[in-house]
Amino acid sequence: SQIPPDAQHYLVCGTEDCEKNCQFYCNECHHPMCEQCRDEHQKSPETKDHEVVPYKQRKRQLPMQKCKIHPTKDINLLCEECKIPLCSKCGTTTKHRGHLFTDLEMVFTEKCSSCHAEITKIRSYFEPTSQDLKREIRRDVTEIKKITEGLRTSMKAQTEAVKKMVDTVTSEKIKQVNKIEQSLLKTLNGQNQEIDDYINYLNDLIKTYYGYLSPSNIEQLTFALKSENLIIRPIPETSKPVYPVFTAGQYSEKDVEKLLGKITVPNYKPEKRKIKPMETASTQLKPTGKQRKHNREKSNVKKTLSRSSSVTMVREFTVPGVSDVYHISLGKSGRIWVSDYNLFQTDLQGNKLQTIQTSGNLDGYHTVTQDGDLIYTDKDNKVINRITPDNTITEFIETEDWRPWSIHSSHINGDILVGMRKDEEAKVTRYNKTGTEIQNIKRDNKGHELYSYPHYITENINGDICVSDYDKHAVVVVDKSGQHRFSYSGWESVFTPFGICTDVLGHILVCDDYTDTVYLLDQDGQLLSFLLTSEQWLGMFCSVCVDDENNLWVGQWGNKVSVYKYLQ
């Protein structure tokens, strides 16, 4: 009963030999049917009172299972007192006499509705809130890395300061040792010289005494015999030096820690992360003022609209001077913007009002904001420009190293979604209305790259971000929190998506350049129909958008713009 995330096939009528698109469902017969078979079903006397509803509002068919006690009977009841499923014959036994019974199919339908409600709550609150917490944790991880890197830098700086101080003190101590050495050596050198002089004196005295032993005259002998001449001077006194001593400093790791500082973690209980209440989450994207009134009007329109069984052309015109209409943005007061490699403003008859030189290409590189301004990407200069109603062009957002290719202004909250590339990488970035970056989407939950070339981008009514990526040959859809929902890869073996848009019913409309076809998908990625084909309309379609009156505008290879009615 669940639509697979990569659903590729459109719904087919369940009537034998009828291969038309399924739009309705008979809850009594549990039979899918097209519009024509629905009309015949309601005209038949046997089935005219059956409840036939749009397919999405169908009751889920109860799985068929035989009773183990009564093999010929289907299990179709629920005993309210015993809380067990059973067949009608089991209900007549004494074990269940007097008990209340409920139609099991009704219980199953209620449980399916309850499951869908829970799925909606998970997708709209629990999952986005959890993703918000993940982003907060990622910010904390970044902050922790920043803080700890600062701590390491401070510690290294402190260590270098201490080393410098140690080097300075050591240098002074060495100078002190050098002075002590010079002083001691000077004293010892003086003593050494004094001893040398004394030895010379002794040598001279020995020579004199030898002279006395062989006197040459009586006078010399008489001089030698005098006692005072025989006295030898004493040896000069010297002293030993007092050697300097080094006393090592006394220190421990704690002393070094005191010197270098220490790392501490404050001893208090971590603050719990705030989880926004469900009612806050449900109104997070709630618009105000004019937008709220506009949304109410769209909501009322939605209640009365459905997909038409046929498509009719409303108008068609050409834009002279344009090579191919690669993209369309609808402005105010009957003005539209179309682009090839440049940007042109025209009226509803295709008369050119303004031309702007751009670095555009085969991309959805412009969009009209809630305020009526046009913004467009300049991938060469890596900026997003804004054009105000008075035709003033200003730089709005700088995208740094990333080249912006596609852009879309949200009709829900005014956020700006931009498809970007850098080298071989690609991503989608969300900015708020003031141009502040608030979200980046690059990979799925398994770490795989989501995008290769996001050259067209749009947003669905449920907040899903839909990207047309012709390098990946797929429409890649993520929810508003950036979680991958599904990728649609076409009907044929080759799918080359170009222009993409969504409508008030949540349909996804995308041009396939390979088959020259406009596909109509539901918001879960299921093909509903081939809305426009080149064989039927003799066109080659490359861009699409939907106006406030739910008309489909289609830009074609060549300079033609066509407008179609496809909802009723």
Side-chain angles (χ1 to χ4, degrees):
S1 62
Q2 295 299 313
I3 297 173
D6 56 353
Q8 300 292 316
H9 205 290
Y10 64 88
L11 293 170
V12 179
C13 177
T15 305
E16 187 176 0
D17 297 330
C18 181
E19 296 182 356
K20 294 182 179 178
N21 294 348
C22 163
Q23 300 179 50
F24 302 97
Y25 192 85
C26 176
N27 282 333
E28 273 72 22
C29 301
H30 292 296
H31 185 73
M33 56 187 67
C34 63
E35 185 176 16
Q36 181 178 342
C37 294
R38 187 269 317 256
D39 294 341
E40 295 176 1
H41 197 72
Q42 291 181 327
K43 289 177 183 178
S44 173
E46 293 84 5
T47 58
K48 65 180 181 179
D49 295 326
H50 286 193
E51 183 184 21
V52 180
V53 297
Y55 185 81
K56 282 195 173 183
Q57 301 172 17
R58 70 194 184 282
K59 290 181 180 178
R60 304 288 177 170
Q61 185 175 4
L62 182 69
M64 302 299 293
Q65 184 174 333
K66 298 295 182 181
C67 178
K68 293 182 179 179
I69 302 174
H70 308 100
T72 61
K73 298 292 184 179
D74 292 331
I75 295 177
N76 56 6
L77 298 176
L78 177 69
C79 178
E80 292 288 353
E81 295 189 31
C82 301
K83 297 299 180 184
I84 60 172
L86 40 81
C87 70
S88 56
K89 195 166 184 179
C90 286
T92 63
T93 61
T94 55
K95 182 179 178 181
H96 298 282
R97 186 171 296 166
H99 291 184
L100 294 176
F101 302 101
T102 305
D103 182 4
L104 190 57
E105 188 171 60
M106 184 184 301
V107 175
F108 180 66
T109 299
E110 291 175 356
K111 291 297 181 183
C112 287
S113 298
S114 176
C115 287
H116 278 296
E118 294 304 308
I119 290 171
T120 299
K121 283 197 291 185
I122 290 171
R123 282 184 171 172
S124 63
Y125 170 69
F126 289 99
E127 191 176 19
T129 303
S130 299
Q131 291 299 328
D132 288 343
L133 290 175
K134 278 178 65 67
R135 282 191 289 273
E136 187 175 339
I137 291 170
R138 284 198 296 270
R139 286 195 294 269
D140 288 342
V141 168
T142 302
E143 187 66 19
I144 284 293
K145 290 182 177 180
K146 180 179 177 182
I147 290 172
T148 52
E149 182 60 29
L151 292 177
R152 283 188 287 269
T153 301
S154 298
M155 290 169 61
K156 290 176 182 178
Q158 181 74 357
T159 302
E160 290 300 322
V162 171
K163 285 180 179 178
K164 187 175 180 180
M165 184 186 300
V166 170
D167 289 342
T168 301
V169 172
T170 302
S171 178
E172 291 299 321
K173 295 292 183 184
I174 290 173
K175 287 180 182 178
Q176 185 180 354
V177 170
N178 292 340
K179 287 181 180 180
I180 293 171
E181 180 188 28
Q182 290 172 5
S183 177
L184 291 174
L185 291 176
K186 183 178 180 181
T187 300
L188 293 174
N189 288 334
Q191 292 180 4
N192 191 56
Q193 184 61 48
E194 189 177 359
I195 296 299
D196 284 344
D197 291 344
Y198 183 73
I199 291 171
N200 291 332
Y201 156 74
L202 292 175
N203 290 330
D204 290 341
L205 193 58
I206 289 170
K207 291 178 181 179
T208 300
Y209 284 149
Y210 273 119
Y212 291 157
L213 294 176
S214 303
S216 59
N217 56 54
I218 296 297
E219 288 84 6
Q220 189 177 16
L221 178 62
T222 301
F223 179 80
L225 293 175
K226 290 181 179 179
S227 60
E228 62 270 14
N229 292 327
L230 299 175
I231 297 172
I232 301 173
R233 287 192 340 233
I235 298 173
E237 290 185 357
T238 61
S239 60
K240 289 185 177 183
V242 179
Y243 300 119
V245 177
F246 173 71
T247 303
Q250 300 298 315
Y251 58 88
S252 65
E253 287 188 9
K254 288 186 177 180
D255 296 322
V256 176
E257 185 176 291
K258 288 179 182 178
L259 191 62
L260 295 177
K262 60 181 179 179
I263 304 297
T264 59
V265 178
N267 187 22
Y268 57 78
K269 191 176 181 179
E271 180 184 355
K272 290 186 177 180
R273 300 184 190 278
K274 293 181 180 180
I275 299 177
K276 58 191 176 187
M278 191 176 298
E279 58 271 15
T280 303
S282 64
T283 59
Q284 186 178 24
L285 298 179
K286 186 175 181 180
T288 57
K290 294 181 180 179
Q291 184 62 26
R292 188 161 55 230
K293 177 182 177 183
H294 177 68
N295 285 355
R296 280 201 303 270
E297 293 172 351
K298 291 185 75 173
S299 177
N300 292 334
V301 169
K302 183 179 176 181
K303 292 177 182 178
T304 61
L305 281 175
S306 64
R307 183 159 54 92
S308 175
S309 58
S310 61
V311 177
T312 57
M313 182 182 290
V314 177
R315 75 171 70 90
E316 190 174 67
F317 59 89
T318 59
V319 183
V322 176
S323 60
D324 301 291
V325 183
Y326 294 141
H327 190 51
I328 303 174
S329 291
L330 299 175
K332 305 293 183 180
S333 306
R335 305 294 170 89
I336 67 172
W337 294 88
V338 300
S339 62
D340 51 16
Y341 297 95
N342 293 307
L343 190 54
F344 305 89
Q345 187 185 45
T346 77
D347 58 20
L348 296 182
Q349 288 72 44
N351 300 312
K352 279 197 295 186
L353 307 175
Q354 187 179 176
T355 302
I356 299 173
Q357 301 292 322
T358 71
S359 60
N361 205 329
L362 287 74
D363 309 291
Y365 68 86
H366 51 89
T367 184
V368 174
T369 68
Q370 289 178 325
D371 299 328
D373 296 344
L374 182 108
I375 53 179
Y376 68 94
T377 66
D378 181 350
K379 62 178 181 292
D380 289 349
N381 295 310
K382 300 173 184 175
V383 296
I384 295 170
N385 295 319
R386 180 193 292 273
I387 305 175
T388 56
D390 62 356
N391 293 329
T392 301
I393 301 177
T394 58
E395 286 190 5
F396 178 39
I397 298 171
E398 293 184 2
T399 57
E400 299 178 348
D401 295 335
W402 293 83
R403 292 160 62 88
W405 290 83
S406 57
I407 192 167
H408 175 76
S409 176
S410 169
H411 299 300
I412 299 175
N413 55 11
D415 286 351
I416 298 165
L417 303 170
V418 186
M420 303 190 190
R421 279 176 57 87
K422 180 179 73 172
D423 300 327
E424 297 302 318
E425 294 182 275
K427 68 174 182 176
V428 168
T429 298
R430 182 192 295 270
Y431 299 89
N432 63 17
K433 286 194 280 189
T434 62
T436 301
E437 181 180 311
I438 56 179
Q439 185 184 27
N440 279 290
I441 304 168
K442 286 185 66 177
R443 294 178 174 84
D444 60 18
N445 288 334
K446 296 181 180 179
H448 299 145
E449 296 282 348
L450 284 168
Y451 311 109
S452 176
Y453 195 119
H455 71 140
Y456 286 89
I457 187 170
T458 190
E459 182 183 49
N460 214 336
I461 58 173
N462 60 351
D464 283 355
I465 302 169
C466 309
V467 168
S468 174
D469 191 321
Y470 67 60
D471 268 14
K472 280 188 172 289
H473 297 283
V475 172
V476 182
V477 178
V478 301
D479 64 21
K480 59 191 172 193
S481 67
Q483 294 299 302
H484 182 234
R485 288 199 59 218
F486 64 87
S487 293
Y488 179 81
S489 55
W491 176 259
E492 297 285 347
S493 58
V494 178
F495 179 58
T496 309
F498 267 71
I500 190 170
C501 69
T502 62
D503 65 17
V504 71
L505 298 181
H507 295 138
I508 301 170
L509 300 94
V510 60
C511 298
D512 177 15
D513 180 56
Y514 183 73
T515 59
D516 291 320
T517 301
V518 176
Y519 286 40
L520 183 70
L521 314 177
D522 70 11
Q523 66 184 26
D524 294 312
Q526 188 174 28
L527 177 63
L528 300 177
S529 70
F530 301 119
L531 195 63
L532 301 173
T533 65
S534 58
E535 294 179 358
Q536 182 182 10
W537 293 99
L538 300 177
M540 299 173 67
F541 316 114
C542 58
S543 60
V544 285
C545 70
V546 176
D547 63 21
D548 290 338
E549 296 178 356
N550 303 297
N551 294 316
L552 174 63
W553 293 63
V554 182
Q556 300 187 36
W557 301 107
N559 58 358
K560 187 182 296 184
V561 176
S562 304
V563 184
Y564 300 91
K565 177 72 71 176
Y566 71 105
L567 298 178
Q568 63 181 7

